[in-house]
Amino acid sequence: MDRINTIGRRKTAISRIYMSVGSGAITVNGKDYKQYFPTEVLQIILNQPFSTINGVGGYDVKVNVRGGGVAGQAEATRMAIARALVEMNSEFRPALKKEGFLTRDSRMVERKKYGRAKARRRFQFSKR
């Protein structure tokens, strides 16, 4: 198999990945993924699709991710990896779909409205 290119999104983060069969090297924006995502929780999120199909360390992944925060970026990358695995082998689809890795989480931050402190929070009420 050649390199597979997929995209994943979460909140305002967009992750583009290039995956090929290899030794398990994951590079995010030119850095090792353990350096880019320092917390263990984010690293686990990134590896969830591989652990679901028992394929940890079997693929090389090059990630370009931008926008959002680290959590959104990790989840966007997880989605892109899951999509690439399905593209490589369609037998992985039921397991990855069951875990919800192929579903785009469409929740976005609600916009701030005028006359309000935040999207729904009102300014403090003063009786006098």
Side-chain angles (χ1 to χ4, degrees), residues 24-108:
I26 302 176
T27 315
V28 183
N29 289 355
K31 295 180 184 174
D32 182 60
Y33 82 101
K34 290 186 176 178
Q35 194 182 351
Y36 193 86
F37 296 116
T39 63
E40 195 180 334
V41 173
L42 296 174
Q43 292 170 20
I44 290 167
I45 286 172
L46 214 67
N47 281 310
Q48 276 177 328
F50 295 125
S51 50
T52 303
I53 60 148
N54 301 319
V56 177
Y59 301 93
D60 285 342
V61 185
K62 184 179 177 291
V63 183
N64 292 320
V65 66
R66 56 186 347 156
V70 282
Q73 288 185 348
E75 290 181 30
T77 305
R78 175 178 72 182
M79 181 188 194
I81 289 170
R83 283 177 167 178
L85 288 169
V86 168
E87 215 170 298
M88 278 189 171
N89 185 349
S90 57
E91 291 172 22
F92 296 149
R93 187 173 174 82
L96 292 169
K97 190 154 179 67
K98 185 173 175 280
E99 293 295 322
F101 300 149
L102 299 174
T103 308
R104 161 75 157 106
D105 190 343
S106 61
R107 293 177 297 171
M108 297 288 263

Side-chain angles (χ1 to χ4, degrees), residues 13-29:
I14 298 170
S15 180
R16 296 171 300 154
I17 72 155
Y18 302 89
M19 187 192 288
S20 55
V21 176
S23 59
I26 302 176
T27 315
V28 183
N29 289 355

